Amino acid sequence: MESKWRKVKMALGSNFCVYVPTADTDVSPPPSDAALLPPATPRRPWSPVLRLSRSLSRSSSSKKCTICLASMKRGEGEAIFTSECAHSFHFQCIVSHVKHGHRACPICRAKWKEIPQQGLAPPMTVIRRPLPRQTSNRHVSSANEPAVFNDDEALDVQTSTRNDNTLDGSYSTRLLLKTYNEVAAVPRRSTADDFTVLIHLKAPVSTSARAPVDLVTVLDISGSMSGTKMALLKRAMGFVIQNLGPADRLAVIVFSSAARRLFPLQRMTDAGKQHAVQAVNSLMANGGTNIAEGLRKGSKVMKDRREKNPVTSIILLSDGQDTYTASGSWDSSSGVDRNGSNQRLLVPQCIDVPVHAFGFGADHDATLMHSISETSGGTFSFIETESVIQDAFAQCIGGLLSVVVKGLQVTIESASPSIQVQTLKTGSYRGHLTPDRKSGRIDVGDLYADEERDFLVSVNVPKETRLTFGDETLLLKVHCSYTDPMTEDTMKLASENVTIKRPEKVGKENVVSVEVDRQKSRLQSAEAMVQARTAAEAGDLTRAVSILENFRKVLSGTVAARSGDRLCMALDAELKEMQERMASRHSYEHSGRAYMLSGISSHTWQRATARGDSTDGSSLVQAYQTPSMTEMLTRSHANSLQPTRASLASQAQPRTK
């Protein structure tokens, strides 16, 4: 045997040992976190026979690089690196893999003794003796990161990017503001202490261009993310990268026991996409779960950047419990630690960017993830099934890539000294009332194209002895102001006067407004969900189910439900689903809590979140999906129909129409 090895070494003119499989050996790579999906059939063991033959050239030419998944056919001008564990890659891909801190094979995780470096491309394909397989225990390291993340790539000279989500047809360029009264009239000699006015807002529709985005994704790569989870996460990130434009910028933070930045905010040009794909596809799962550190680093990227795109957001994904910041002190069922602090303390105090949190699987900390999103102004989605992670991301970026209104504020003013604003029912949005209750303000923030918002304002209607506004009483004046993200101009809408008719008597035609009743039902449903969750966390599932059942009966008798309103139908279906997920403590812990928190997030922010089948077009739980979200989901579904080992590298290429 030794004499054979000596002859082989002399024939190659090198000191490397050659190990070649027999011609009939299956050389497909084994399943790993590096591949998009594991192969359907197991790989047969390597043959111990040592031989050099032309079968090497034939098998190599049909292989694909498992980092970029592009062909490694000879003659294509790409240097090929074959590691000492006998796995082959494009040389530039493996250099990028090493550059991001990896010193182990992306396929089998064998630790390498010889590390390829930029500028030292191999003159030939070298095959080395395979090392015994071992699991990498190397944790994420941030040793080479700068102290300040001000190395973001300069913005494009253009202020917008083409929006491929555009819907054909005419479009409005201004926000729509309408108001609805609970009823059309109040008798002149009567008073109403709690009269409800609905403020309805609708954003402009998509245009041929959109505002560019700064997006930071904070991704869990702890040990529990290994296997199919990691493969599907990479595929989902490939879809996100594919759908960003050259004016958009992306940075990726990964965390396990620690956190590190894969690359700074960089524009998603062709080169930027290729770099991002290679970095993401080189990830491997290991270590614990340090959510707080990942989020801190993600917010630091946003805070330290030199330049800013008009739209900013953070996407956070985790499949587990925080085992560092919260270790030993957090009570995940109640959301409060044993020292009495709130989980919101995990959110960096300086963060002013919405964090859209995604809880992945049955073991994530739904209470923590919901708290992070709620505090920052983002949404919480529950990814129950691994296969829908791409759809969940698609729905989210479908909105982020269509922002048409920024910093929206709604101001409500009393029109008379005798009229006071009693309450502002705004869900999760911040509402402010002056001490004298003569005015109030609602901070709405950003709106996606075609997105709608509804807020309920309660006022008193005084008795009228002499009308000064025809046969009506002027109750309120509503103003709106916001920033156009494309032009950065401040837009102000003309004041909307809210009046109520004041006849001597009212007849049967004075019916309750379906629009107002619908929004009352939405807010009451969210309140019922909160109450039921409180009971469930206290261990009383019977009472929790009863709360939901009782409200479903109330809901069925509302004016909106009796009229066949779609939102009320969706609310009833969702409440029923929550009841079923509270059938036992196990089912509540497994999915009920996360499903309920995602529903609360959706209805209080009036924005689409993923839960159950809520991204499916046939689902009733999609009341807040915008056309841009639906279009991006259609794209995701089409992408999912492609072969499971489709190249992420091809996704990095620009879309052609």
Side-chain angles (χ1 to χ4, degrees), residues 31-45:
S32 74
D33 295 345
L36 285 178
L37 287 175
T41 57
R43 186 173 65 89
R44 286 179 288 183

Side-chain angles (χ1 to χ4, degrees), residues 29-39 64-70 85 87-89 93-94 97 102 104-110 112 221 225-236 238 277-286 644-649:
S32 74
D33 295 345
L36 285 178
L37 287 175
K64 291 184 178 180
C65 172
T66 52
I67 294 180
C68 71
L69 295 184
C85 54
H87 293 124
S88 299
F89 316 91
C93 292
I94 207 64
H97 177 78
H102 302 294
C105 176
I107 296 176
C108 67
R109 298 184 181 177
W112 291 336
I221 59 167
M225 284 291 295
S226 62
T228 304
K229 282 186 177 181
M230 180 61 74
L232 292 174
L233 174 59
K234 291 177 181 180
R235 187 183 184 98
V277 163
Q278 290 177 345
V280 168
N281 213 28
S282 68
L283 295 174
M284 292 187 294
N286 58 70
T644 55
R645 292 184 65 84
S647 173
L648 266 182

Side-chain angles (χ1 to χ4, degrees), residues 215-216 218 295 298-299 302 312-316 351 353-357:
L215 176 64
V216 175
V218 181
L295 190 58
S299 64
M302 289 298 194
T312 57
S313 189
I314 294 175
I315 288 178
L316 168 67
I351 193 168
V353 176
V355 177
H356 298 287

Side-chain angles (χ1 to χ4, degrees), residues 230-253:
M230 180 61 74
L232 292 174
L233 174 59
K234 291 177 181 180
R235 187 183 184 98
M237 280 301 300
F239 179 83
V240 171
I241 293 167
Q242 172 194 6
N243 284 280
L244 295 177
D248 300 317
R249 299 191 301 176
L250 173 70
V252 176
I253 305 295

Side-chain angles (χ1 to χ4, degrees), residues 192-368:
D193 295 329
D194 190 18
F195 186 81
T196 302
V197 176
L198 167 64
I199 298 175
H200 174 76
L201 306 165
K202 184 171 182 179
V205 303
S206 300
T207 65
S208 59
R210 62 169 175 82
V213 176
D214 278 349
L215 176 64
V216 175
T217 58
V218 181
L219 308 175
D220 187 343
I221 59 167
S222 59
S224 59
M225 284 291 295
S226 62
T228 304
K229 282 186 177 181
M230 180 61 74
L232 292 174
L233 174 59
K234 291 177 181 180
R235 187 183 184 98
M237 280 301 300
F239 179 83
V240 171
I241 293 167
Q242 172 194 6
N243 284 280
L244 295 177
D248 300 317
R249 299 191 301 176
L250 173 70
V252 176
I253 305 295
V254 294
F255 66 90
S256 54
S257 302
R260 71 181 166 91
R261 187 185 63 167
L262 285 188
F263 52 85
L265 273 174
Q266 63 182 27
R267 290 170 45 211
M268 288 296 98
T269 58
D270 292 349
K273 288 183 178 182
Q274 183 178 9
H275 177 249
V277 163
Q278 290 177 345
V280 168
N281 213 28
S282 68
L283 295 174
M284 292 187 294
N286 58 70
T289 307
N290 196 335
I291 297 174
E293 180 63 15
L295 190 58
R296 185 195 68 79
K297 193 151 289 187
S299 64
K300 181 174 174 59
V301 169
M302 289 298 194
K303 180 183 178 183
D304 292 354
R305 57 191 164 150
R306 293 173 300 173
E307 300 182 75
K308 297 181 180 181
N309 263 327
V311 181
T312 57
S313 189
I314 294 175
I315 288 178
L316 168 67
L317 178 135
S318 177
D319 76 330
Q321 307 278 328
D322 189 297
T323 54
Y324 286 81
T325 307
S327 178
S329 63
W330 293 111
D331 180 357
S332 62
S333 63
S334 66
V336 178
D337 74 6
R338 298 187 184 100
N339 297 321
S341 299
N342 187 299
Q343 278 189 334
R344 294 184 179 187
L345 295 177
L346 278 177
V347 182
Q349 297 298 310
C350 61
I351 193 168
D352 58 355
V353 176
V355 177
H356 298 287
F358 293 81
F360 194 6
D363 298 326
H364 76 277
D365 191 336
T367 304
L368 170 62

Side-chain angles (χ1 to χ4, degrees), residues 442-576:
I442 305 171
D443 298 329
V444 183
D446 298 354
L447 291 184
Y448 305 152
D450 296 275
E451 208 167 30
E452 300 179 37
R453 292 289 179 270
D454 293 283
F455 304 107
L456 297 179
V457 181
S458 174
V459 300
N460 67 298
V461 179
K463 182 187 297 184
E464 288 286 7
T465 57
R466 188 179 68 177
L467 291 170
T468 59
F469 199 76
D471 61 349
E472 300 177 334
T473 297
L474 179 61
L475 298 176
L476 301 170
K477 294 183 178 181
V478 182
H479 314 269
C480 286
S481 64
Y482 62 95
T483 300
D484 184 327
M486 295 289 295
T487 64
E488 298 187 353
D489 293 337
T490 299
M491 312 291 289
K492 293 185 178 181
L493 271 63
S495 175
E496 176 85 359
N497 291 333
V498 179
T499 61
I500 180 74
K501 294 180 180 178
R502 306 303 301 272
E504 290 292 340
K505 294 182 180 181
V506 297
K508 294 182 179 180
E509 69 279 3
N510 197 38
V511 297
V512 174
S513 164
V514 172
E515 288 81 5
V516 174
D517 195 58
R518 174 193 301 124
Q519 298 307 321
K520 281 187 175 182
S521 296
R522 172 182 61 83
L523 289 170
Q524 290 168 359
S525 293
E527 290 171 4
M529 294 175 193
V530 171
Q531 293 171 8
R533 177 177 173 263
T534 301
E537 299 295 355
D540 195 346
L541 288 176
T542 302
R543 181 169 176 269
V545 171
S546 177
I547 290 172
L548 297 181
E549 179 63 28
N550 290 338
F551 181 73
R552 287 181 64 199
K553 293 177 181 178
V554 173
L555 179 64
S556 65
T558 62
V559 172
R562 292 200 305 268
S563 69
D565 181 72
R566 182 174 175 82
L567 176 59
C568 290
M569 293 171 60
L571 290 170
D572 182 72
E574 189 174 2
L575 292 166
K576 182 180 179 182

Side-chain angles (χ1 to χ4, degrees), residues 127-152:
I127 304 178
R128 300 175 173 84
R129 184 190 300 274
L131 297 174
R133 294 194 177 184
Q134 51 186 303
T135 301
S136 172
N137 294 318
R138 183 184 58 77
H139 289 177
V140 172
S141 172
S142 58
N144 297 325
E145 291 179 344
V148 179
F149 292 153
N150 60 356
D151 51 353
D152 51 300

